[in-house]
Amino acid sequence: MALLERITVLLPAPARDHVVGQFHRPSGPLGRVVGRIMATRSSNVERNRWAVDQLGVQPTDRVLEIGFGPGVAVEALAARATGGVVFGIDHSALMVRAATRRNAAAVAAGRVVLRAAGVDELGALEDDLRPLDLVLAVNNAGMWPDPPARL
């Protein structure tokens, strides 16, 4: 049993729901812990890097990551799209700050642009994002409002 499962099974339902909810939208001190888990848990890091590898990112690509969390995949995307731009949206302001710190040099160079926004706000950002070559979402489509419509 994974550590998180061992911890949460001991908690009363409201506390367990709060902890699990932090993985959906990290905030506050517990959100910082959750962000650290997402950034360092080997299975999560490997999954993000694997997903990026599947895209075949080219140096001049313009890529969007939806729900970037602590910025693990953004970092891998930026390493490949060296002459392009990596855009990202995440509905957690805490994760925007964490991913911005993780990718500070690429953000400063204008190669990474991160925004606090949910997937349901993509339409309002459409003009800023076009054209896109690739789009990526790892571990979060199940948390979107109406996933089929968002896809």
Side-chain angles (χ1 to χ4, degrees):
M1 184 181 291
L3 176 61
L4 181 62
E5 292 169 336
R6 284 186 287 203
I7 292 169
T8 57
V9 76
L10 301 173
L11 296 173
R16 183 174 50 247
D17 292 346
H18 179 68
V19 170
V20 171
Q22 286 293 315
F23 283 89
H24 293 249
R25 187 185 299 247
S27 63
L30 182 56
R32 285 191 285 281
V33 172
V34 165
R36 177 69 57 115
I37 291 168
M38 289 190 287
T40 60
R41 186 173 183 198
S42 61
S43 62
N44 191 58
V45 171
E46 290 168 14
R47 185 176 306 109
N48 275 272
R49 290 184 179 152
W50 177 87
V52 169
D53 286 345
Q54 303 314 300
L55 291 178
V57 178
Q58 298 301 304
T60 59
D61 281 346
R62 292 171 55 90
V63 186
L64 168 65
E65 182 178 8
I66 301 169
F68 53 76
V72 173
V74 168
E75 182 178 42
L77 291 165
R80 290 163 176 77
T82 54
V85 181
V86 176
F87 298 96
I89 63 163
D90 196 293
H91 65 182
S92 167
L94 180 66
M95 290 297 96
V96 174
R97 289 190 302 274
T100 298
R101 279 191 306 275
R102 178 184 205 100
N103 295 282
V107 168
R111 295 188 318 100
V112 169
V113 178
L114 304 175
R115 293 204 176 132
V119 68
D120 52 334
E121 299 171 81
L122 271 174
L125 301 172
E126 192 172 356
D127 290 339
D128 295 336
L129 298 174
R130 282 190 180 177
L132 287 173
D133 298 298
L134 302 163
V135 178
L136 174 69
V138 180
N139 293 337
N140 64 63
M143 299 173 210
W144 299 354
D146 193 8
R150 298 298 163 225
L151 286 173

